Amino acid sequence: MIFRLIQEMRLFSFFIIVGLILNSCKEPVQESSIDKKVEKVIVFDKKYVHDFDSKDADCMKEYKRAIRDIENNKLVFAEFGIFQKYEDEFIELLKKDGIEYDFLGENCTGLSNCYGYCMDSVICKRFGENYIQKLLKKAHEISDSRWKSKVYNYFEVDENAIYPNTNDAVQVEDILLKEFILPKDWKYGKMKNNEREYVSIKIVVDQNGKAQTISNELFTHNIKPENRRYMKYLKDELKRVIEEMKLWKPAIINGHKVKSEEYIDITFN
């Protein structure tokens, strides 16, 4: 459950940031007077003028770094969000035009991206105001065309993978918990601060409905100190239960059965 919440927060952050980025290439109305040498090149949308503060040391540091990169013919698309579904395809298309990609991490504190604003203005001037929009659309189309081999996240598909006789992750967890065998001397009871004691793992449900663990799966946990000696056992037991599960109903995108990532989560308290 917690991982779905995290993913949904990331997706929400992604849509907000993408909206800001797309608007940065529309209707340039004001030139920056901060640096006369690049005044003819750096043009900012009126929405971002208030974020581009010449009195802000961090903003100016980013700005000057962008100018140096531009003068060295280095263009970078820098952003805080993640294009979950078609990020790889978007990066591929940027590279074809000689543009690098820089993921700045999550931005939950409202940090400005003066470096990105500067770069966006030059990219839009060189490739056209609708360049980013067109690239995103094309990346999306390419991603959908790769449905036979691509692994989609659960919120990227038209229909989610569903385990038989369940409607949500809570019901799946209940089924798994019944099959999960804890060590005989497992220490039950509440954790400090009433935290949740759990293990969770990322799996892939393929086109045939088979749930599979993967070599670089995301395995996370929050286990009481007295139970941590069983970490390897818990991970192995979780994999065992997953591999013995019945076939899922595969995820669907554009009418095709596709591979999708899911998160298996078991709470022990």
Side-chain angles (χ1 to χ4, degrees):
M1 293 293 291
I2 190 172
F3 286 93
R4 286 186 180 274
L5 178 60
I6 291 173
Q7 290 293 327
E8 288 167 2
M9 289 175 66
R10 288 163 66 94
L11 182 61
F12 178 71
S13 173
F14 154 69
F15 283 121
I16 292 177
I17 298 302
V18 169
L20 292 175
I21 292 171
L22 295 184
N23 283 328
S24 71
C25 290
K26 296 180 180 179
E27 301 177 359
V29 298
Q30 181 171 337
E31 292 187 351
S32 168
S33 58
I34 296 173
D35 190 331
K36 296 296 183 180
K37 183 169 59 174
V38 293
E39 190 178 57
K40 293 182 180 179
V41 178
I42 309 305
V43 181
F44 296 96
D45 186 281
K46 59 184 177 182
K47 288 187 177 183
Y48 305 115
V49 172
H50 67 281
D51 288 328
F52 199 90
D53 186 0
S54 61
K55 297 180 181 180
D56 185 309
D58 291 333
C59 182
M60 286 305 300
K61 184 177 180 180
E62 290 186 18
Y63 172 80
K64 291 178 180 178
R65 178 166 64 90
I67 296 304
R68 288 195 299 270
D69 287 344
I70 292 168
E71 290 176 341
N72 291 320
N73 201 31
K74 176 182 178 182
L75 291 182
V76 180
F77 183 81
E79 48 88 25
F80 287 109
I82 292 182
F83 299 98
Q84 289 280 0
K85 184 176 182 179
Y86 43 92
E87 179 182 23
D88 292 340
E89 290 78 12
F90 183 68
I91 294 173
E92 288 177 20
L93 295 174
L94 286 173
K95 286 183 177 179
K96 288 183 178 179
D97 288 331
I99 303 173
E100 298 180 18
Y101 176 83
D102 185 13
F103 170 53
L104 303 176
E106 296 297 339
N107 179 26
C108 300
T109 59
L111 294 175
S112 64
N113 181 13
C114 296
Y115 179 89
Y117 297 156
C118 184
M119 283 291 178
D120 287 350
S121 68
V122 176
I123 291 172
C124 291
K125 187 176 182 66
R126 185 172 299 182
F127 295 96
E129 293 183 12
N130 296 321
Y131 172 74
I132 295 299
Q133 293 96 317
K134 291 179 180 178
L135 224 60
L136 288 172
K137 181 180 179 181
K138 187 173 182 180
H140 197 161
E141 292 172 351
I142 294 174
S143 174
D144 285 353
S145 72
R146 294 174 175 174
W147 61 270
K148 289 184 179 181
S149 59
K150 192 175 179 69
V151 179
Y152 297 91
N153 210 314
Y154 75 92
F155 55 77
E156 300 168 346
V157 298
D158 299 328
E159 296 180 25
N160 295 112
I162 301 175
Y163 193 65
N165 302 315
T166 64
N167 295 317
D168 54 35
V170 175
Q171 291 182 328
V172 175
E173 179 181 356
D174 290 340
I175 292 173
L176 294 175
L177 192 56
K178 291 178 181 178
E179 302 297 326
F180 202 96
I181 301 175
L182 286 170
K184 293 182 179 180
D185 54 349
W186 179 264
K187 303 299 182 183
Y188 292 92
K190 294 182 178 180
M191 297 186 68
K192 292 182 179 180
N193 302 319
N194 290 320
E195 293 179 357
R196 188 170 67 97
E197 188 170 28
Y198 69 89
V199 292
S200 182
I201 196 168
K202 181 171 70 175
I203 67 171
V204 170
V205 177
D206 67 19
Q207 293 97 326
N208 298 316
K210 177 66 176 177
Q212 303 172 323
T213 57
I214 49 182
S215 59
N216 62 338
E217 78 279 0
L218 175 65
F219 177 73
T220 60
H221 54 83
N222 187 32
I223 301 298
K224 290 193 291 288
E226 53 267 41
N227 289 330
R228 289 175 188 167
R229 55 179 169 157
Y230 296 118
M231 288 311 307
K232 184 179 185 306
Y233 171 85
L234 294 176
K235 187 174 183 178
D236 291 342
E237 178 66 3
L238 186 55
K239 288 185 176 182
R240 178 193 69 79
V241 173
I242 291 170
E243 292 172 358
E244 293 179 358
M245 293 176 73
K246 297 178 181 179
L247 293 180
W248 294 56
K249 178 183 176 181
I252 302 293
I253 186 168
N254 295 331
H256 303 293
K257 296 179 180 179
V258 297
K259 294 180 181 179
S260 65
E261 292 181 351
E262 298 291 334
Y263 295 89
I264 298 297
D265 189 284
I266 298 181
T267 301
F268 299 121
N269 57 358

